[in-house]
Amino acid sequence: MYHLNDGISKISAAPHAVGLSADRLAHISATAQAFIDDGQLAGAVTVVARRGKVAHFEGYGMMDIAANKPMQKDTIFRIYSMTKPIAAAAMMMLCEERKLQLDASASRYLPELGGLKVAAAADAETLSLVEADRDMTVRDLMRHTSGLPGAARYMAGQTAVDKCYREEGLHLLHECDLQEMVERLGRIPLLYQPGTKWHYSIAADVLGRLIEVVSDQPFDVFLAERIFQPLGMVDTGFYVPSEKINRFAGMYGPTHGGGLQAIDAPEGGTGKISENSFIEKPKFLSAGGGLVSTAADFARFCLMLSGRGTLSGKRLLKTESVELMTRNHLPEHLIPLDKKPDKRYAGLGFGLGVSVRVQQTDWVPASQVGEYGWIGGTSTEFWISPRDELVAITLAQHMPFSELSERVKPFVYDAIVKE
């Protein structure tokens, strides 16, 4: 049995007890170590669980190269867009309480988003507006069909909507709180007619404000009281407290000559401290990408989903809510996801805060239809196969996105012992 930290030691098991092969799981460790030995990653943590029990939990390499600090199992990672499923779970709680309706107009709860115009051509350099065919709904916000713009391209883009975005200061989200963000969004046009296109967007951040308004609690307080504390996610939040900085991983990227360079060094190493360094509570509580967490904490969240809303006898969500959240909500003509050209998105639809595999593809052929999950921009990923009762998590801190999770995935499926 793997002896884990107190966060999941009581829900761990030997691989054979949950129908997994220890020898095949060892290929995961060898693969991760090879990435480190080749200088592709500084360090990583991998987790595999099945039937509600963690059977593999390993750390590799370094969490901070300059400080000569080995990766630990309780290392804190920037999980970025893996925040989205947590926000989606919070939304499902409010739907269960009948405080939200998925097909209600978002403007019922956030009046600032009512009556928005739509750009006649998303990429035009001159702004021409048309009426919206309908209002965006709560479901649209959760599945990225709201018509709202994304953030990354608007930093330097030259289209008319890009310029509107910058004029409203939406390229400086760290200077906003959630209310200010929504007020600014209410003054710019939509890129697309609601429901007509899947566009990965700032809609995920709008969910944070929606949760605040509907629950009458700050977004971070709601998450802490309703998700983190009940699940025992003791190291998850929007920043790393000073007493935990020594567990915060450095973030790395490739150098021009090969090897690694520090991008963000939380303890003041050779890297640059970014304005999103997570070392103090931010003004902007991003539901789209603002959380830090550990492998143990995120495993508990995933095991709750895999357990159809329960963990260790404690129910957070109804089974029906988890099933609704983790099934595809996109019409066939919006599949596969319209994201950067990348084979990982082939065959994927989208649920409420997570991607959902709806077709078999050549990318990791073992992947099952019904598998759901998502990634974080600095090389973090999780996925869950309901059919196989399987959870897998890979955490690293590297930009651009590492191939570690893609390389590990076949070994996770291969470890299942045929019964």
Side-chain angles (χ1 to χ4, degrees):
M1 180 182 296
Y2 289 84
H3 295 286
L4 314 180
N5 67 21
D6 289 340
I8 47 179
S9 60
K10 294 180 180 178
I11 48 174
S12 60
H16 68 83
V18 292
L20 294 172
S21 163
D23 289 341
R24 295 174 194 167
L25 288 174
H27 292 299
I28 297 170
S29 302
T31 300
Q33 189 60 52
F35 270 76
I36 292 156
D37 294 343
D38 292 344
Q40 296 182 57
L41 291 175
V45 175
T46 55
V47 179
V48 179
R50 193 173 189 221
R51 298 173 183 165
K53 300 290 185 180
V54 174
H56 163 94
F57 186 6
E58 295 292 340
Y60 323 88
M62 308 297 290
M63 63 173 285
D64 188 324
I65 294 173
N68 196 33
K69 294 173 65 174
M71 182 66 72
Q72 302 294 329
K73 291 180 180 178
D74 65 353
T75 293
I76 298 172
F77 291 81
R78 307 155 189 80
I79 63 169
Y80 283 105
S81 286
M82 280 167 53
T83 302
K84 291 176 170 72
I86 293 176
M91 291 285 292
M92 299 311 294
M93 290 177 173
L94 294 168
C95 288
E96 286 184 4
E97 295 167 8
R98 300 182 183 276
K99 294 179 179 178
L100 281 174
Q101 293 182 7
L102 287 177
D103 292 316
S105 296
S107 60
R108 175 188 296 185
Y109 313 102
L110 300 174
E112 302 94 331
L113 300 182
L116 299 185
K117 306 289 187 182
V118 182
D123 293 326
E125 294 186 11
T126 301
L127 189 61
S128 177
L129 300 178
V130 297
E131 297 290 331
D133 294 335
R134 65 167 176 83
D135 287 342
M136 71 178 79
T137 65
V138 172
R139 192 189 304 266
D140 285 322
L141 289 170
M142 296 185 73
R143 67 179 184 175
H144 293 288
T145 56
S146 66
L148 285 167
R153 61 168 277 192
Y154 299 97
M155 296 294 188
Q158 295 305 309
T159 71
V161 177
D162 296 338
K163 294 172 185 176
C164 290
Y165 199 93
R166 291 195 296 274
E167 286 169 3
E168 289 296 338
L170 283 161
H171 61 306
L172 302 171
L173 285 176
H174 63 281
E175 297 180 357
C176 303
D177 62 23
L178 292 173
Q179 180 178 349
E180 291 168 341
M181 174 200 66
V182 171
E183 289 172 351
R184 295 180 189 193
L185 283 174
R187 297 193 290 264
I188 65 171
L190 299 177
L191 268 184
Y192 305 102
Q193 291 285 352
T196 64
K197 185 175 176 63
W198 188 90
H199 183 72
Y200 197 54
S201 76
I202 200 171
D205 287 314
V206 173
L207 299 182
R209 178 58 181 162
L210 192 52
I211 290 165
E212 286 190 335
V213 169
V214 171
S215 70
D216 198 28
Q217 284 186 297
F219 180 42
D220 56 339
V221 173
F222 185 92
L223 292 185
E225 292 185 357
R226 299 292 301 275
I227 297 179
F228 303 154
Q229 292 170 15
L231 289 180
M233 297 172 67
V234 296
D235 291 318
T236 302
F238 287 97
Y239 71 106
V240 183
S242 58
E243 67 272 16
K244 297 182 180 181
I245 288 292
N246 65 328
R247 293 199 280 126
F248 192 25
M251 183 156 64
Y252 297 88
T255 64
H256 292 299
L260 298 169
Q261 61 180 332
I263 296 173
D264 190 355
E267 292 193 89
T270 57
K272 173 185 175 184
I273 299 291
S274 73
E275 57 191 21
N276 297 317
S277 58
F278 299 96
I279 58 175
E280 59 184 25
K281 182 177 178 178
K283 182 176 183 181
F284 183 65
L285 302 175
S286 172
L291 289 176
V292 296
S293 190
T294 61
D297 275 12
F298 206 83
R300 293 182 70 82
F301 175 74
C302 290
L303 287 168
M304 179 275 292
L305 293 179
S306 181
R308 298 185 176 184
T310 65
L311 179 70
S312 301
K314 187 173 296 185
R315 180 166 291 280
L316 265 70
L317 287 169
K318 294 179 181 178
T319 296
E320 296 81 6
S321 296
V322 176
E323 291 175 346
L324 182 62
M325 175 181 164
T326 59
R327 68 169 174 81
N328 175 55
H329 285 254
L330 295 182
E332 188 173 349
H333 70 276
L334 295 183
I335 297 171
L337 303 183
D338 184 14
K339 214 167 184 295
K340 63 183 180 181
D342 189 325
K343 57 187 177 182
R344 75 165 45 248
Y345 299 107
L348 292 186
F350 209 79
L352 303 177
V354 291
S355 64
V356 183
R357 180 157 296 284
V358 296
Q359 301 165 357
Q360 293 290 145
T361 69
D362 292 336
W363 185 75
V364 190
S367 293
Q368 299 298 317
V369 169
E371 175 191 298
Y372 63 88
W374 199 234
I375 64 175
T378 53
S379 302
T380 65
E381 182 166 9
F382 84 98
W383 50 268
I384 297 172
S385 173
R387 193 192 80 168
D388 299 298
E389 300 177 88
L390 198 61
V391 170
I393 302 168
T394 60
L395 301 178
Q397 298 285 253
H398 187 275
M399 295 180 70
F401 196 86
S402 167
E403 294 182 355
L404 175 63
S405 57
E406 176 181 344
R407 296 277 295 279
V408 159
K409 194 169 205 175
F411 297 125
V412 177
Y413 274 113
D414 188 55
I416 297 173
V417 177
K418 302 295 186 290
E419 298 175 345

